[in-house]
Amino acid sequence: MVISLNLNPSVPKLPRIENKQAVDVRYMLIPPYAGAHISWNAETNELVYDLEEPVLQDKEKDALKRIENALFELININITVENTPEATIAYLDKTSRLLISELNIAISEESYQKLFYYLYRDFVGMNEIEALLKDYFIEDIECNGIGSPLYVIHRVYRNIRTNVVFHDLDKLAGFVEKLAQRAGRYISYAQPLLDGSLPDGSRVNASYTKDVTSKGPTFTIRKFTKIPWTPTQLLSFNSISPEMLAYFWLLIEHKSSILVAGGTGSGKTTLLNALAFFIPPEARVVSIEDTREINLPRENWLPSVARPSVGSSKVGEIDLFALLKASFRQTPDYLIVGEVRGKEAFVLFQGMASGHASLSTMHADSVDTLIKRLETPPIELSPSLVNTLDCVAVATHAVINQKETRKLKEIVEIVNVNGDGTAIVNTPFIWDPAQDKFFFRKQSKVLEKISTRTGIPLATLQNELVIRSKLLYHLYQKKIFGFEEIGKIVNLYHKDPAAVLAQYPVDA
Ligand SMILES: Nc1ncnc2c1ncn2[C@@H]1O[C@H](COP(=O)(O)OP(=O)(O)OP(=O)(O)O)[C@@H](O)[C@H]1O
Ligand SMILES: [Mg+2]
């Protein structure tokens, strides 16, 4: 008998339901054993996410316990990380069947298949949350300690409480250790914070404490969307306007430097990734991140990830600063830095000053705060270095018609930074929350700068902005959202705009 777990089920189409109280959907996560049931709970007045797993009879539970105990003695858990899931499952199946016969466990094939789900889940997968990790629709998983239910952020139904709860401190601590181990990191009471990525690219943050006042260890997992959102997808969410995108397209093509600012979870990294689609195809790109989030449809790209040290020594540590310095030896045309926080900003801005184009994000709610953060310790850039920045895109959370959305609030150009650190800015694009509309209200100074530098008449650049924004809008209307597809069109436009416009005509 073969194991009947299906680890690659198709993604179901979920109904978008305006009235949350009417939500009642079920879909499989790991067919045929684990599924999700999302429904309205009238008692607590909220949507709940019930993870449905096989219910075991006492006899089956007993069998599972005995197999597990025997397996623990046999298996080095690490093997599960090294091999493919298929190979590990086959190995686990073979070993379990051997144990069943050796331990004389009487069990039907049907029971065994059910029970194997749990063996897979705990030995190969990520235990209680394995099925949640397999849910295409889940973006974030959050655990706030023992006894509190896990929350997930669902692509369609947003923030939902689940029925998954860690009741036992040792179990939760063990789980957080497993997260750390899978992320190739080390967590302990002496070093209680974890920031890393799981093998599938998901980002994980965890804390490890047994403090009596706290509820014990916590963790957050932001799932790696292997396929990032494209510029046209951001248009479909109404997070940005076609003119704004076309503006970035022109700026990036002409090697400008852009910072995306915004609060936690405001969509900075998502926007950064979408903008990176506009980097010309032949350019050499180097990306540097703390944890792997950026993904680009291009070949000429060197991604690197900072590596913290193991244990308390600094041995083996490669921080952003070191990576960034090293990256200039790779002579990149474009540098993407996932998030600027500390002294690496100095290296980045020096790189910008010497003609490397850069794209990056920084945690700051406004341009004022951002400039202040750049100019004060620990970053402490000189006004002339800050001046090399061309523009700042400010991303924000917004609730529109009771729906959680992300908006590009404004694009602010840095016209000049005075000797005293104050900046003269120009804001060509804004989003008006009252009307939920984007406006192009002022001429861009950066386009003027590009015109002066390159000799391309300003009118040509402005005309190009109009054509490209129409093209992007056209692609959005045709529902062309794909990662590879958009990558191809943008690349072709760079070499042969007429060919693209022949295929996707826009009126000039
Ligand atoms: N335009 C958007 N529309 C809807 N959801 C979005 C949008 N942009 C991002 N998101 C979602 O919001 C979450 C946070 O996005 P992202 O990681 O880009 O934010 P961030 O500002 O970089 O966060 P952090 O502060 O943690 O670095 C993700 O789950 C992402 O899928
Ligand atoms: Mg981010």
Side-chain angles (χ1 to χ4, degrees), residues 53-69 105-107 111-112 114-116 118-119 122:
E53 295 182 300
V55 179
L56 298 183
Q57 309 295 325
D58 284 345
K59 210 178 127 216
E60 294 166 336
K61 274 188 206 158
D62 181 57
L64 176 62
K65 194 97 246 117
R66 289 175 65 193
I67 301 171
E68 272 175 358
N69 289 341
I105 300 173
I107 188 170
S111 289
Y112 173 71
K114 246 182 1 175
L115 183 162
F116 189 82
Y118 289 98
L119 293 176
D122 296 349

Short mmCIF file of all heavy atoms in Angstrom, two decimals, residues 53-69 105-107 111-112 114-116 118-119 122:
data_model
loop_
_atom_site.label_atom_id
_atom_site.label_comp_id
_atom_site.label_asym_id
_atom_site.label_seq_id
_atom_site.Cartn_x
_atom_site.Cartn_y
_atom_site.Cartn_z
N GLU A 53 -8.41 17.69 11.47
CA GLU A 53 -7.45 16.59 11.29
C GLU A 53 -8.14 15.29 11.65
O GLU A 53 -9.19 15.31 12.32
CB GLU A 53 -6.24 16.83 12.21
CG GLU A 53 -5.44 18.07 11.83
CD GLU A 53 -4.22 18.27 12.71
OE1 GLU A 53 -4.41 18.42 13.93
OE2 GLU A 53 -3.10 18.28 12.18
N PRO A 54 -7.58 14.15 11.24
CA PRO A 54 -8.26 12.89 11.54
C PRO A 54 -8.43 12.67 13.05
O PRO A 54 -7.54 13.01 13.82
CB PRO A 54 -7.34 11.83 10.96
CG PRO A 54 -6.24 12.52 10.28
CD PRO A 54 -6.34 13.97 10.49
N VAL A 55 -9.58 12.15 13.42
CA VAL A 55 -9.81 11.81 14.83
C VAL A 55 -9.39 10.36 15.03
O VAL A 55 -9.82 9.48 14.28
CB VAL A 55 -11.30 11.98 15.18
CG1 VAL A 55 -11.56 11.61 16.63
CG2 VAL A 55 -11.72 13.42 14.88
N LEU A 56 -8.54 10.13 16.00
CA LEU A 56 -8.06 8.76 16.22
C LEU A 56 -8.84 8.09 17.35
O LEU A 56 -9.15 8.73 18.36
CB LEU A 56 -6.57 8.78 16.58
CG LEU A 56 -5.59 9.34 15.54
CD1 LEU A 56 -4.16 9.20 16.04
CD2 LEU A 56 -5.76 8.66 14.20
N GLN A 57 -9.13 6.81 17.16
CA GLN A 57 -9.72 6.01 18.24
C GLN A 57 -8.63 5.74 19.28
O GLN A 57 -7.44 5.85 18.98
CB GLN A 57 -10.20 4.65 17.69
CG GLN A 57 -11.08 4.74 16.47
CD GLN A 57 -12.39 5.44 16.77
OE1 GLN A 57 -12.93 5.30 17.86
NE2 GLN A 57 -12.88 6.23 15.84
N ASP A 58 -9.05 5.36 20.48
CA ASP A 58 -8.07 5.10 21.55
C ASP A 58 -7.00 4.10 21.13
O ASP A 58 -5.82 4.30 21.39
CB ASP A 58 -8.78 4.57 22.80
CG ASP A 58 -9.49 5.72 23.53
OD1 ASP A 58 -9.17 6.89 23.20
OD2 ASP A 58 -10.37 5.45 24.38
N LYS A 59 -7.47 3.07 20.42
CA LYS A 59 -6.54 2.03 20.00
C LYS A 59 -5.50 2.61 19.02
O LYS A 59 -4.32 2.27 19.06
CB LYS A 59 -7.34 0.92 19.31
CG LYS A 59 -6.73 -0.45 19.46
CD LYS A 59 -7.60 -1.51 18.81
CE LYS A 59 -6.73 -2.31 17.86
NZ LYS A 59 -7.41 -2.71 16.66
N GLU A 60 -5.98 3.47 18.15
CA GLU A 60 -5.08 4.10 17.16
C GLU A 60 -4.11 5.06 17.85
O GLU A 60 -2.93 5.14 17.51
CB GLU A 60 -5.90 4.85 16.11
CG GLU A 60 -6.74 3.93 15.24
CD GLU A 60 -7.82 4.65 14.43
OE1 GLU A 60 -8.25 5.76 14.84
OE2 GLU A 60 -8.24 4.11 13.41
N LYS A 61 -4.63 5.79 18.85
CA LYS A 61 -3.77 6.71 19.60
C LYS A 61 -2.64 5.95 20.27
O LYS A 61 -1.49 6.39 20.28
CB LYS A 61 -4.59 7.42 20.68
CG LYS A 61 -5.30 8.66 20.18
CD LYS A 61 -5.91 9.41 21.35
CE LYS A 61 -7.09 10.22 20.87
NZ LYS A 61 -8.03 10.55 21.94
N ASP A 62 -3.02 4.84 20.82
CA ASP A 62 -2.05 4.01 21.52
C ASP A 62 -0.97 3.52 20.55
O ASP A 62 0.22 3.57 20.83
CB ASP A 62 -2.81 2.84 22.17
CG ASP A 62 -1.88 1.95 22.94
OD1 ASP A 62 -1.21 2.48 23.84
OD2 ASP A 62 -1.80 0.73 22.60
N ALA A 63 -1.43 3.06 19.38
CA ALA A 63 -0.49 2.59 18.36
C ALA A 63 0.44 3.72 17.94
O ALA A 63 1.66 3.54 17.82
CB ALA A 63 -1.26 2.04 17.17
N LEU A 64 -0.12 4.91 17.73
CA LEU A 64 0.67 6.06 17.31
C LEU A 64 1.76 6.35 18.34
O LEU A 64 2.92 6.56 17.99
CB LEU A 64 -0.24 7.28 17.13
CG LEU A 64 0.45 8.60 16.77
CD1 LEU A 64 1.18 8.50 15.44
CD2 LEU A 64 -0.57 9.74 16.71
N LYS A 65 1.38 6.37 19.61
CA LYS A 65 2.33 6.65 20.69
C LYS A 65 3.50 5.66 20.64
O LYS A 65 4.67 6.05 20.72
CB LYS A 65 1.55 6.55 22.01
CG LYS A 65 2.17 7.07 23.21
CD LYS A 65 1.88 8.43 23.76
CE LYS A 65 3.04 9.37 23.73
NZ LYS A 65 2.92 10.52 22.95
N ARG A 66 3.14 4.38 20.49
CA ARG A 66 4.21 3.35 20.50
C ARG A 66 5.14 3.50 19.29
O ARG A 66 6.35 3.38 19.42
CB ARG A 66 3.59 1.96 20.53
CG ARG A 66 2.94 1.64 21.87
CD ARG A 66 2.22 0.32 21.87
NE ARG A 66 3.13 -0.83 21.69
CZ ARG A 66 2.69 -2.05 21.42
NH1 ARG A 66 1.40 -2.27 21.27
NH2 ARG A 66 3.55 -3.03 21.26
N ILE A 67 4.55 3.79 18.14
CA ILE A 67 5.40 3.95 16.94
C ILE A 67 6.29 5.19 17.12
O ILE A 67 7.49 5.16 16.85
CB ILE A 67 4.55 4.08 15.66
CG1 ILE A 67 3.69 2.83 15.48
CG2 ILE A 67 5.44 4.27 14.44
CD1 ILE A 67 2.65 2.95 14.37
N GLU A 68 5.68 6.26 17.61
CA GLU A 68 6.44 7.50 17.80
C GLU A 68 7.64 7.29 18.73
O GLU A 68 8.75 7.71 18.43
CB GLU A 68 5.55 8.58 18.41
CG GLU A 68 4.80 9.40 17.40
CD GLU A 68 3.83 10.38 18.04
OE1 GLU A 68 3.71 10.39 19.30
OE2 GLU A 68 3.20 11.14 17.30
N ASN A 69 7.36 6.64 19.86
CA ASN A 69 8.45 6.42 20.82
C ASN A 69 9.58 5.62 20.19
O ASN A 69 10.76 5.94 20.37
CB ASN A 69 7.92 5.72 22.07
CG ASN A 69 7.06 6.66 22.90
OD1 ASN A 69 7.15 7.88 22.74
ND2 ASN A 69 6.21 6.10 23.74
N ILE A 105 2.03 -4.68 16.65
CA ILE A 105 0.87 -3.80 16.79
C ILE A 105 -0.19 -4.23 15.79
O ILE A 105 0.08 -4.29 14.58
CB ILE A 105 1.26 -2.32 16.55
CG1 ILE A 105 2.32 -1.90 17.58
CG2 ILE A 105 0.04 -1.41 16.64
CD1 ILE A 105 2.91 -0.52 17.34
N ALA A 106 -1.37 -4.55 16.29
CA ALA A 106 -2.44 -4.97 15.39
C ALA A 106 -3.19 -3.74 14.92
O ALA A 106 -3.77 -3.01 15.72
CB ALA A 106 -3.39 -5.92 16.11
N ILE A 107 -3.13 -3.48 13.62
CA ILE A 107 -3.76 -2.25 13.12
C ILE A 107 -4.15 -2.43 11.65
O ILE A 107 -3.42 -3.05 10.88
CB ILE A 107 -2.78 -1.06 13.31
CG1 ILE A 107 -3.46 0.25 12.98
CG2 ILE A 107 -1.53 -1.21 12.51
CD1 ILE A 107 -2.64 1.46 13.38
N SER A 111 -6.52 2.45 9.37
CA SER A 111 -6.07 3.13 10.58
C SER A 111 -4.63 3.62 10.42
O SER A 111 -4.26 4.71 10.84
CB SER A 111 -6.11 2.21 11.79
OG SER A 111 -7.43 1.96 12.16
N TYR A 112 -3.82 2.76 9.80
CA TYR A 112 -2.42 3.12 9.63
C TYR A 112 -2.28 4.39 8.80
O TYR A 112 -1.51 5.29 9.11
CB TYR A 112 -1.63 1.97 8.99
CG TYR A 112 -0.21 2.37 8.65
CD1 TYR A 112 0.72 2.58 9.66
CD2 TYR A 112 0.17 2.59 7.33
CE1 TYR A 112 2.02 3.00 9.35
CE2 TYR A 112 1.46 2.99 7.01
CZ TYR A 112 2.38 3.20 8.03
OH TYR A 112 3.66 3.62 7.72
N LYS A 114 -4.35 6.83 8.47
CA LYS A 114 -4.79 7.96 9.29
C LYS A 114 -3.69 8.39 10.25
O LYS A 114 -3.37 9.56 10.40
CB LYS A 114 -6.01 7.52 10.11
CG LYS A 114 -7.25 8.27 9.71
CD LYS A 114 -8.53 7.99 10.46
CE LYS A 114 -8.59 7.04 11.60
NZ LYS A 114 -9.89 7.00 12.28
N LEU A 115 -3.14 7.37 10.85
CA LEU A 115 -2.12 7.59 11.86
C LEU A 115 -0.83 8.13 11.23
O LEU A 115 -0.11 8.94 11.81
CB LEU A 115 -1.98 6.24 12.49
CG LEU A 115 -1.15 5.78 13.61
CD1 LEU A 115 -1.73 4.47 14.09
CD2 LEU A 115 0.22 5.59 13.10
N PHE A 116 -0.61 7.68 9.99
CA PHE A 116 0.60 8.13 9.30
C PHE A 116 0.58 9.63 9.06
O PHE A 116 1.62 10.27 9.02
CB PHE A 116 0.80 7.39 7.97
CG PHE A 116 2.15 7.68 7.36
CD1 PHE A 116 3.27 6.98 7.77
CD2 PHE A 116 2.30 8.68 6.40
CE1 PHE A 116 4.52 7.28 7.25
CE2 PHE A 116 3.54 8.98 5.88
CZ PHE A 116 4.66 8.28 6.30
N TYR A 118 -0.21 11.79 11.15
CA TYR A 118 0.44 12.41 12.32
C TYR A 118 1.95 12.16 12.34
O TYR A 118 2.72 13.02 12.77
CB TYR A 118 -0.21 11.92 13.62
CG TYR A 118 -1.59 12.49 13.80
CD1 TYR A 118 -2.72 11.75 13.46
CD2 TYR A 118 -1.76 13.79 14.27
CE1 TYR A 118 -3.99 12.29 13.59
CE2 TYR A 118 -3.03 14.34 14.41
CZ TYR A 118 -4.14 13.59 14.06
OH TYR A 118 -5.38 14.14 14.19
N LEU A 119 2.35 10.98 11.87
CA LEU A 119 3.79 10.70 11.81
C LEU A 119 4.45 11.68 10.84
O LEU A 119 5.49 12.26 11.12
CB LEU A 119 4.05 9.26 11.36
CG LEU A 119 3.61 8.17 12.34
CD1 LEU A 119 3.84 6.79 11.73
CD2 LEU A 119 4.37 8.30 13.66
N ASP A 122 4.49 15.31 12.33
CA ASP A 122 5.42 15.62 13.41
C ASP A 122 6.88 15.31 13.09
O ASP A 122 7.78 15.96 13.62
CB ASP A 122 5.00 14.89 14.69
CG ASP A 122 3.64 15.39 15.18
OD1 ASP A 122 3.17 16.41 14.64
OD2 ASP A 122 3.06 14.75 16.07
#
